[in-house]
Every structure is written in structure tokens, then in C-alpha cells.
Amino acid sequence: MKFTFETSSEKSSILLIYTGGTIGMKADPAEQTLKPFDFSQILEEVPELGKFAYRIDSCTFRPLIDSADVEPRQWQKLAGLIEEKYEDYDGFVILHGTDTMAYSASALSFMIEGLTKPVIFTGSQLPVGAARTDGKENLVSAVEIAAAKDSDGHAVVPEVCIYFGNTLMRGNRTTKVSSENFRAFASGNFPALAEAGINIRYNRSGIIRPADWERKPVFHTALDTRVSILKLHPGITPQVVRNILCGPETRAVIIETYGSGNAPSKGWFIDLIKEAVSMGKILLNVTQCLAGSVDMKLYATGKKLENEGVLSGYDCTTEGALAKLFFLMGMSDDNDFVTAQLDKNLRGEISKKLETDQNFR
Ligand code: ASP
């Protein structure tokens, strides 16, 4: 991994969008749980932000939510807000609960095409008011990254990312891996985009830059959420598999398989796959492993899936696959279009050559 130093970031303007999550929660003694509190107090809690020469404006979502309550409409609201304010700011920092942050970052990465500015999600494991909080470092560094510009004035990281635990990761490559550790997220199949120590060191060769810096991004807010996830496990029954694969409400199913994309070879399982495919369902194979890729050619148990029309999700995360399907199905009712696009690397979500001409306008 190659990192370089970044220094030029003066006079940037940042919009801080607070959606909820532990970072802004306080203990509610009556109910003995954590609940969100007003955003203005976060700025009081993090006076360090005042040391930057940036203009930092903030905006609070109402109601503030625990990210377990995040729905696609919050992603649409976020995308809409970023579109509305796009020309006014150099970067966007989204304070978000950690539980579904990887889903939200994945979704935004697909919903914004041709991004030229940073959109950095962050949050914390401990509330910002707690003595040992990780929230301050996460927020302060996320703001610095969102503000960072090259000597030519372009953003250093024009991507949707998660910054957490001293590490900047491509949003659609992340998964929450710990409910306790300050390094709560992992990017199993793609190296960090930056690491923060005494300096913030950027992995420049890993960062996606837009084909045209002058072109305003396209914001796609139509999402088709008719997706289910089938997680395989020993002992799974035909009834359960049928309900998920062939349910009338689903247009696509993400199958979380074993290892390099393997599934049971039993007759009933393959028959249900065939049935779902004949019903026109899109079946996408992603691995349960945190790292590594689906390769259905490797074992006979994977080959059977491929033969029946199951698509490879390559090394996509489940969160990334869900977001990609919502986005592509929202664009078109044509499953052939969706299937063809699923095979492409649209936003750096899979380890294939990046599509530069996406032609979605
Ligand atoms: N339950 C919280 C949330 O996701 C956890 C957190 O923020 O870390 O909103």
C-alpha cells in the first residue's frame, strides 16, 4: 500500500450532517438507555473543530435516529440534501450510527454517480461526551479528510467513505465487525484509502477520481427494495429456502454462500434455485467470508449454482450487493439490464476494472 502526505486543505467549507447514532447520544437515567440529544451540544463537546480554518456548517435530521431504524428514505433524504448543497461545500461529513453505517455508505456510493467531493461517514462506539470517547478523533479527522484538497484544488478523496478507528475505507467495501472495538469496521477486500496517525497518509493509487471534475454528479434516488437475503447454514430447510427464493415480493435474492461461493448440492436445493430462476428472480452469490471472492468454478458445489444462472457477486460485501441491487433495480424494470450491470465494477465495489462510461444519464 502506498501512502503520501497531504497538507493543502485551507479555507474548505464542510457540511456536517447529523443523523443520530451513539456519537450524539446521552444516557437517559429514567430508561437507563442511550438516546440522541441535540446536535448543537456536539459542537460544544468538540471545540477542537474550531481550530480548523474551515467553514463548518451543520444540519440535523429530525427525528434523530438510532441507525437500526435507518430506511432507504433516509438515504434518499441524504442524497437529496447533498445534491441541494453540492455547490456550496467542498465536502460532506455524515454522523451516523455504526450499526447500519456500512449499508448507508454503500447506498450513497451508488446513488451519487460521478462524485467530485468527499462524502465521509463517521460515528463512534462511545458517546462524544464520554471520557474515553472515540467520537472526537473520528469526527475531527473525518472533517480534515473531507476538507483535504490537492495542490490543483481538487478533493483528495472524492468518494463515499467511512472513517473510523484511524482508518479511511471505501464505503461500499466496509462491514461492521465489532460492537465494542474502536476499530469497528473492516474492508476485507480493499486496502484502506487513508490512515491517520501523526499525519493523515492517503493511499492515492487506491482512490477513485472522477473522469470529469467539472461535471456535476448525477443523483439517483429511485430505489427498488424488493431484495431478500438468504444466508446458508447447515440444517437449512427446503421451506425456508423456498420462502426466501420464491417469495412473491422479491425481485432479487442475495445468496450468502460458503467460502468461494459454495452451496449445498442436494437435489431439493438446486431444484429451488431452478424454480426461482424460472420465475425470473435475480440470484446474486456473495460469500459469507469477510475476505476473498466468489468463484463458482472452483468447486462442483459452486459450479451447479453457476450452471443454473446464479450470478457472481465477486468480492462484494452483502451491504454493497444490497445497495447495488436497490440502485440498479430502481433504474430499470429490465432484469437483463440489471444483470449486465451487476457484472460490472461501477463504484469500486468489486475487484474488476472500473467502468468509466456508465451511460446512466
Ligand atoms: N445503535 C447505534 C446506532 O447504530 C450504535 C452506534 O451508533 O454505534 O445508531
Side-chain angles (χ1 to χ4, degrees):
M1 196 184 331
K2 213 174 97 208
F3 290 108
T4 54
F5 291 98
E6 184 51 43
T7 49
S8 159
S9 56
E10 279 179 29
K11 294 195 184 77
S12 290
S13 55
I14 301 299
L15 182 63
L16 203 54
I17 306 169
Y18 176 43
T19 67
T22 297
I23 191 162
M25 291 190 184
K26 271 205 162 144
D28 176 344
E31 290 190 26
Q32 302 215 318
T33 53
L34 287 173
K35 283 192 167 167
F37 68 92
D38 199 86
F39 180 77
S40 54
Q41 296 177 51
I42 289 196
L43 292 177
E44 279 168 27
E45 301 279 358
V46 194
E48 291 83 354
L49 286 173
K51 293 188 180 164
F52 287 130
Y54 318 141
R55 173 164 68 91
I56 304 175
D57 295 337
S58 65
C59 163
T60 303
F61 271 25
R62 301 279 176 213
L64 290 169
I65 54 170
D66 184 299
S67 77
D69 282 322
V70 160
E71 293 287 339
R73 69 170 176 277
Q74 268 91 24
W75 303 337
Q76 288 158 334
K77 197 169 152 188
L78 275 171
L81 179 65
I82 294 170
E83 179 171 23
E84 187 191 320
K85 305 284 183 192
Y86 199 75
E87 299 306 332
D88 302 340
Y89 295 96
D90 297 306
F92 300 84
V93 172
I94 302 174
L95 295 176
H96 191 291
T98 56
D99 289 347
T100 59
M101 193 186 290
Y103 288 93
S104 296
S106 297
L108 266 286
S109 78
F110 288 104
M111 292 167 79
I112 312 176
E113 181 190 345
L115 192 60
T116 56
K117 299 180 179 182
V119 175
I120 313 295
F121 281 77
T122 195
S124 65
Q125 294 282 47
L126 281 174
V128 79
R132 291 182 54 252
T133 187
D134 52 330
K136 285 192 183 191
E137 200 289 318
N138 285 348
L139 174 55
V140 170
S141 294
V143 166
E144 186 166 343
I145 290 165
K149 288 181 190 170
D150 273 328
S151 47
D152 60 4
H154 292 140
V156 177
V157 193
E159 287 209 43
V160 178
C161 299
I162 288 183
Y163 177 79
F164 216 94
N166 300 111
T167 309
L168 183 74
M169 291 155 278
R170 177 168 301 145
N172 59 33
R173 291 292 195 151
T174 58
T175 297
K176 183 173 177 181
V177 290
S178 175
S179 59
E180 295 188 351
N181 203 291
F182 287 156
R183 286 185 171 262
F185 291 88
S187 170
N189 284 323
F190 200 78
L193 297 184
E195 281 180 4
I198 291 175
N199 295 294
I200 298 177
R201 294 168 167 225
Y202 293 94
N203 169 15
R204 286 177 177 273
S205 59
I207 296 170
I208 298 172
R209 293 162 76 80
D212 182 353
W213 287 98
E214 302 313 317
R215 199 165 64 187
K216 200 183 168 199
V218 182
F219 290 78
H220 302 272
T221 50
L223 299 171
D224 180 348
T225 60
R226 291 175 295 161
V227 181
S228 295
I229 300 175
L230 171 64
K231 179 165 183 162
L232 299 181
H233 60 84
I236 198 163
T237 62
Q239 290 79 359
V240 168
V241 174
R242 174 185 289 282
N243 287 345
I244 300 176
L245 283 186
C246 305
E249 298 301 323
T250 49
R251 185 173 162 198
V253 181
I254 296 166
I255 308 176
E256 273 197 8
T257 56
Y258 306 125
S260 55
N262 306 312
S265 55
K266 300 178 186 84
W268 66 261
F269 185 83
I270 301 301
D271 287 345
L272 284 172
I273 294 280
K274 278 187 194 157
E275 191 176 328
V277 170
S278 71
M279 290 170 78
K281 310 283 187 191
I282 299 166
L283 304 183
L284 185 65
N285 187 348
V286 301
T287 174
Q288 294 177 12
C289 297
L290 182 57
S293 180
V294 163
D295 179 358
M296 289 187 279
K297 291 184 174 45
L298 216 52
Y299 294 93
T301 46
K303 188 83 188 137
K304 281 191 179 172
L305 296 183
E306 188 176 47
N307 289 345
E308 299 310 333
V310 174
L311 309 169
S312 176
Y314 301 97
D315 57 351
C316 200
T317 59
T318 299
E319 295 89 332
L322 190 82
K324 193 172 182 179
L325 279 164
F326 281 10
F327 157 69
L328 290 172
M329 295 188 342
M331 294 199 69
S332 172
D333 289 332
D334 178 1
N335 281 4
D336 290 341
F337 166 85
V338 174
T339 299
Q341 297 300 324
L342 279 172
D343 202 56
K344 298 180 182 171
N345 178 12
L346 302 178
R347 304 281 193 274
E349 75 282 3
I350 53 177
S351 300
K352 275 185 120 182
K353 190 174 167 288
L354 191 69
E355 291 290 317
T356 43
D357 181 16
Q358 295 163 23
N359 225 359
F360 282 168
R361 257 150 274 240

